[in-house]
Amino acid sequence: MATSQRQWGVTPPISDGLPSDTERAANDALIEELKRQNNFEGNEEKERRKTTLQSLQKITVEFVRHVSRKQNLKQDVIDAAGGKIFTFGSYRLGVYGPGSDIDTLVVVPKHVHREDFFEHFPPILVKMAPPDAIKEMTPVPDAYVPIIKLEFSGISIDLIFARLDVHSVPASLNLKDISILRGLEDRDLRSVNGTRVTDEILDLVPQQKTFRTALRGIKLWAQRRAIYANVIGFPGGVAWAMLVARVCQLYPNATGSVIIGKFFRIIGKWGWPQPVLLKTIEDGPLPVRVWNPRVYNGDRFHLMPVITPAYPSMCATHNITMSTKTILVRELDRGGDIADKIFLGQMQWKDLFTKHSFFTDGFKYYLSIIAASRSKDAQHLWSGLVESKVRLLVLNLETQGSIEVARPFNKGFDRVHHCKDENEIEAVISGDLKYQARDIKTETTDAIKDPTHSVAAEGGADGMAMPDSSCEVSVNGHEVYSIYTTTYYVGIELVQDATKSLNISYQTKEFKDLCLNWQNYNAEQNSLNIIHTRNYDLPSDVFGPGETKPSRPKRKISKKSEPIGAKRRLDISGAEVCVPTGPFEQEAASENAERELEGVKRV
């Protein structure tokens, strides 16, 4: 690998040494493990993606021509109008795998408007695509970043739109020049910056191949450890990419395996809230906000700021909370210990990618947030809206002095229930799984990939109307009601030796009010409940193959009455509920509390 005299990033490298034979061998072993973990896509799938993007490019050009003709523009203007697609995200970075979506930007000249995109692009897409190639198309014109989500030939596509202040968009256009940002609306600027940020990241790493290997490893690790979810309060894909890129800059000639090992120690010990920068923050010609904690008070509260390199720079990690930061630091420390042992030959790469222990031994106490609807379509939207607010519940829980950590799990669990009457429906929406449909498998929200849910979870729910449809189905010849629930779990870690009561009724009520006051909430369709769940009462379907569900500790029998530790009171519904402090194994001290907890079924 050739060394370079260029300084990568805002500081000189820590080391520009060439890799040793041991480090090269570790890198080969890493790549082999990533292949075993099905992290790479086959050649056939790659070609299908390329073909799909080529089709989208042709469709984009035809869409622009169609709109131009409707405006009665001259033929030479129509012929020159152009139109171009750009990719960003994991596909553009080159770290996509089987089932990954393609983030795609449609760029058009100034005479084509967003209304044209949502009115004319979908029918042209359906007309020009191969028969039955388009599935699950969901346009969301009023989202923070307006989007069309669809499935094209089995590939999930996220289409966003940007209208440039130019007369034509030739095939040779690139988006790196800041001048193209002049005259853009805020939504267009946000759309264009997805591609600009991705391209800047690739330009700012010393070796793209090394960067991609390391990023694949870090992404897989973060996903397995359930710390990959921007909406919930963990870093998302672009943030993890920038963090890996920064370590690549500090070790410009290292292998991907070394970058991963250094990553855990450097990012784990980073001097937060010092920002992670890939280059000096740029000033520009536009009257837009650029991340600057000296100017903007809100920027001072970012706990782990990772700043995008493209103008106007923004913080990609503003959603991180005190709890998710605590979890991230713990996981980085754990990852560093494993990586050290890998290089010592004491562990293997597969040990780094072991699954999280959120349910098996992560916590003793959980909050179960149950979003329910009486139709499947309504549930996709409602559960997405609730998911988009879970981070705000975590922020409120962190204000309770007896809570050390409130960790949200990064996906929801979708279940279907069959009920005969309103009493059974009431039990289901209160958390009872007795009526769950046994022939319908519980699935996680990330596996379902419903476009309506995804858009709502990412903040686009306000632009979507609540569907109103029947939930009656026939099961074994009997008419029953199908109730759809999505449950989100928040693990609660209590402060050790705290003696004051733990009352979170205000936090949970505020969260519920926030969701129920949503403009499209339908009381006849939707409901929201929060229940306290002990680890041994977690549903079996949250555990994977080979995982052991926590068991209820045996009650210790004392021959005589002895003083017991102070008790916390866990109050989420106005009812006082006792939960023991000190050694949580003192089940004898909380027998009455457990009986009370059985009655706390909803907020």
Side-chain angles (χ1 to χ4, degrees), residues 70-92:
K70 287 183 69 66
Q71 295 179 6
N72 296 316
L73 299 181
K74 295 180 179 180
Q75 189 60 45
D76 59 338
V77 175
I78 295 173
D79 293 339
K84 186 176 179 179
I85 65 166
F86 296 83
T87 59
F88 59 102
S90 63
Y91 184 81
R92 177 71 183 96

Side-chain angles (χ1 to χ4, degrees), residues 300-362:
R300 299 171 194 166
F301 294 95
H302 295 160
L303 300 177
M304 303 178 77
V306 181
I307 309 305
T308 58
Y311 172 84
S313 292
M314 305 173 188
C315 180
T317 49
H318 63 276
N319 279 348
I320 288 177
T321 72
M322 287 299 298
S323 291
T324 54
K325 177 186 175 183
T326 297
I327 296 300
L328 283 165
V329 171
R330 290 177 185 175
E331 287 291 347
L332 287 164
D333 188 55
R334 172 190 173 275
D337 290 343
I338 294 174
D340 289 348
K341 292 179 179 179
I342 290 172
F343 280 95
L344 291 173
Q346 298 172 0
M347 299 186 84
Q348 298 178 322
W349 286 111
K350 66 179 181 181
D351 298 311
L352 181 64
F353 305 130
T354 55
K355 188 181 175 183
H356 63 84
S357 57
F358 181 86
F359 295 111
T360 52
D361 63 4

Side-chain angles (χ1 to χ4, degrees), residues 257-530:
S257 59
V258 170
I259 296 298
I260 288 178
K262 301 296 184 182
F263 175 91
F264 293 116
R265 297 311 186 195
I266 290 174
I267 305 302
K269 303 298 182 183
W270 194 266
W272 309 109
Q274 176 183 337
V276 172
L277 302 172
L278 296 183
K279 70 177 190 180
T280 303
I281 294 176
E282 293 181 66
D283 290 326
L286 306 180
V288 295
R289 177 170 173 166
V290 176
W291 187 84
N292 189 338
R294 291 189 296 258
V295 175
Y296 302 109
N297 189 53
D299 292 349
R300 299 171 194 166
F301 294 95
H302 295 160
L303 300 177
M304 303 178 77
V306 181
I307 309 305
T308 58
Y311 172 84
S313 292
M314 305 173 188
C315 180
T317 49
H318 63 276
N319 279 348
I320 288 177
T321 72
M322 287 299 298
S323 291
T324 54
K325 177 186 175 183
T326 297
I327 296 300
L328 283 165
V329 171
R330 290 177 185 175
E331 287 291 347
L332 287 164
D333 188 55
R334 172 190 173 275
D337 290 343
I338 294 174
D340 289 348
K341 292 179 179 179
I342 290 172
F343 280 95
L344 291 173
Q346 298 172 0
M347 299 186 84
Q348 298 178 322
W349 286 111
K350 66 179 181 181
D351 298 311
L352 181 64
F353 305 130
T354 55
K355 188 181 175 183
H356 63 84
S357 57
F358 181 86
F359 295 111
T360 52
D361 63 4
F363 301 91
K364 292 184 181 295
Y365 306 107
Y366 297 82
L367 292 182
S368 301
I369 304 160
I370 306 167
S373 299
R374 294 178 180 244
S375 77
K376 186 175 184 179
D377 291 340
Q379 180 61 8
H380 288 320
L381 177 55
W382 177 235
S383 63
L385 181 280
V386 172
E387 181 176 323
S388 74
K389 308 298 183 186
V390 168
R391 185 183 68 89
L392 302 180
L393 172 61
V394 170
L395 284 170
N396 273 340
L397 291 172
E398 290 173 349
T399 65
Q400 223 296 342
S402 295
I403 293 179
E404 181 73 24
V405 170
R407 176 182 179 176
F409 192 59
N410 66 339
K411 59 194 75 172
F413 290 80
D414 280 2
R415 302 181 177 99
V416 182
H417 314 260
H418 291 155
C419 305
K420 293 182 295 185
D421 52 41
E422 288 296 327
N423 289 333
E424 292 185 358
I425 292 174
E426 181 68 19
V428 165
I429 65 178
S430 300
D432 197 333
L433 299 181
K434 186 187 306 181
Y435 307 105
Q436 184 175 357
R438 302 305 172 190
D439 57 337
I440 303 177
K441 182 182 177 182
T442 299
E443 294 190 87
T444 54
T445 49
D446 66 319
I448 294 174
K449 291 186 176 180
D450 179 77
T452 299
H453 172 92
S454 299
V455 170
E458 293 164 6
D462 287 347
M464 308 173 76
M466 181 62 68
D468 185 11
S469 55
S470 171
C471 66
E472 291 187 16
V473 297
S474 178
V475 177
N476 296 326
H478 301 285
E479 292 297 319
V480 298
Y481 296 97
S482 286
I483 303 299
Y484 301 85
T485 64
T486 305
T487 304
Y488 299 94
Y489 295 93
V490 178
I492 303 295
E493 180 180 318
L494 304 176
V495 175
Q496 288 188 346
D497 302 324
T499 57
K500 61 183 180 180
S501 64
L502 174 60
N503 185 323
I504 57 174
S505 57
Y506 169 78
Q507 288 86 350
T508 52
K509 181 180 184 302
E510 188 174 77
F511 170 75
K512 185 175 181 181
D513 289 345
L514 177 67
C515 295
L516 300 188
N517 288 332
W518 174 51
Q519 62 189 24
N520 294 325
Y521 168 71
N522 183 339
E524 295 182 359
Q525 279 278 359
N526 317 121
S527 68
L528 177 64
N529 291 311
I530 304 176

